[in-house]
Amino acid sequence: MRLATILTPHGPRAAVATADGYVDLHATDPGLPTCVKNLLAASPGIRKIAAEAAAGPNAVKYAANAVKLLPPVPHPAKILCIGLNYRDHAIEGNRPIPPEPVLFAKFPNTLIAHGDPIVIPKVSEKVDYEAELVVVIGKRGRHIPNDKTAFDYVGGYTVGHDVSGRDWQFRGEEKQWIIGKTFDTFAPTGPVLVTADEIPDPHNLQVQLRVNGTTLQNSNTKEFIFGVPHLLWFLSQVITLEPGDLIFTGTPPGVGIARKPPVLLKPGDVCEVEIEKIGVLKNPCVAES
């Protein structure tokens, strides 16, 4: 399924994206969850019922232009991010291949949906783009094995944009990764979440980013240094992963700060992140008022 969260007159609702709109699952069948997080955590039988309800004659459907999209998971408990996870990105920055995943985090204030504006802060002059595949957890787990059984804990995948204030991220001798990553609006996700059964191999997906129509990032997740099972194993040694948690898996080469001259985001720019089999996440940039 291609899941979304839409804003309806009854509040945010889990929906299935169709060719011409969105099916409100709870309105179609009151026995189904109202939120994507609970749907991911539900049994395979419930998800099958949801798919059948969305395709049935009684589906409560909204036209695509009649609803406001929210982030696919509007209120994740955790937003975990991996730095330097593409071989070609490490080469771009003349950095050694890391021996283990580099972890940082974002907070829920950063989340925005497809179509929402990225706000360029008054206090940052080096706002950069980073296209990312986002893993969405579907099952609670701790000490997840580093093997194919790790995929049992994956609910699905979505498109993410790890917007970064580089002047804040790298300020001072100690650096400030988290503060540079957590300005309001710095984590667009969406437009949909594709359930894991539709992407059996997340390690062979084309990832692209365009600014104003110009392609600036273009790589493939086969360049991952650490694949999905390794990331889940590494993180779950310390953190209990919960349904709806988001894991940004790193960005490919072509980031703006590494270009000569640098290419940085400014008000009026339009960013598009496209990931094969998932879709296009599009957000305009605006100045902080």
Side-chain angles (χ1 to χ4, degrees):
M1 286 186 292
R2 301 176 69 81
L3 300 175
T5 297
I6 59 174
L7 185 60
T8 75
H10 308 288
R13 289 290 179 85
V16 170
T18 65
D20 57 351
Y22 299 92
V23 174
D24 182 336
L25 289 172
H26 184 74
T28 300
D29 181 346
L32 291 171
T34 60
C35 73
V36 167
K37 189 185 298 187
N38 288 346
L39 187 61
L40 293 175
S43 68
I46 294 296
R47 292 194 293 274
K48 182 181 178 185
I49 291 171
E52 291 172 348
N58 298 319
V60 177
K61 184 179 288 188
Y62 292 89
N65 60 1
V67 293
K68 167 76 173 68
L69 276 176
L70 301 176
V73 181
H75 302 291
K78 295 182 281 297
I79 306 173
L80 305 171
C81 307
I82 306 300
L84 206 64
N85 195 31
Y86 281 71
R87 292 176 186 86
D88 46 4
H89 183 36
I91 292 168
E92 170 189 55
N94 294 314
R95 302 280 295 277
I97 301 298
E100 62 184 15
V102 176
L103 176 65
F104 62 95
K106 288 179 177 277
F107 304 124
N109 66 294
T110 62
L111 276 181
I112 59 172
H114 172 77
D116 288 344
I118 297 167
V119 177
I120 306 298
K122 295 177 181 178
V123 296
S124 180
E125 297 179 353
K126 295 182 179 180
V127 178
D128 205 350
Y129 52 81
E130 293 190 27
E132 308 218 4
L133 174 70
V134 178
V135 176
V136 185
I137 298 299
K139 175 182 172 183
R140 189 175 191 270
R142 182 80 189 274
H143 298 295
I144 295 170
N146 184 10
D147 58 34
K148 64 181 181 181
T149 63
F151 288 109
D152 295 342
Y153 296 84
V154 177
Y157 305 90
T158 190
V159 181
H161 187 174
D162 173 19
V163 186
S164 305
R166 300 299 193 190
D167 40 1
W168 284 76
Q169 179 183 353
F170 298 124
R171 67 189 292 166
E173 291 185 7
E174 300 300 326
K175 311 307 180 187
Q176 290 281 0
W177 273 56
I178 287 182
I179 200 167
K181 299 283 189 172
T182 52
F183 283 94
D184 293 348
T185 75
F186 271 23
T189 60
V192 298
L193 181 162
V194 178
T195 52
D197 57 298
E198 295 202 13
I199 302 181
D201 182 12
H203 304 119
N204 188 18
L205 300 173
Q206 201 70 16
V207 179
Q208 297 180 316
L209 179 139
R210 297 180 290 274
V211 176
N212 304 326
T214 299
T215 299
L216 298 177
Q217 290 184 284
N218 186 10
S219 188
N220 192 290
T221 56
K222 65 186 179 183
E223 292 285 341
F224 274 173
I225 297 168
F226 305 105
V228 173
H230 190 109
L231 295 178
L232 268 57
W233 164 77
F234 180 80
L235 294 171
S236 69
Q237 293 179 94
V238 179
I239 302 165
T240 299
L241 298 177
E242 302 279 359
D245 286 351
L246 305 182
I247 302 173
F248 281 65
T249 57
T251 199
V255 296
I257 200 69
R259 291 179 171 271
K260 294 180 175 43
V263 176
L264 300 167
L265 297 179
K266 61 186 184 302
D269 286 343
V270 176
C271 300
E272 296 175 286
V273 181
E274 182 170 5
I275 299 182
E276 183 181 1
K277 298 183 180 179
I278 303 177
V280 178
L281 170 66
K282 184 175 181 179
N283 299 91
C285 297
V286 301
E288 182 179 7
S289 60

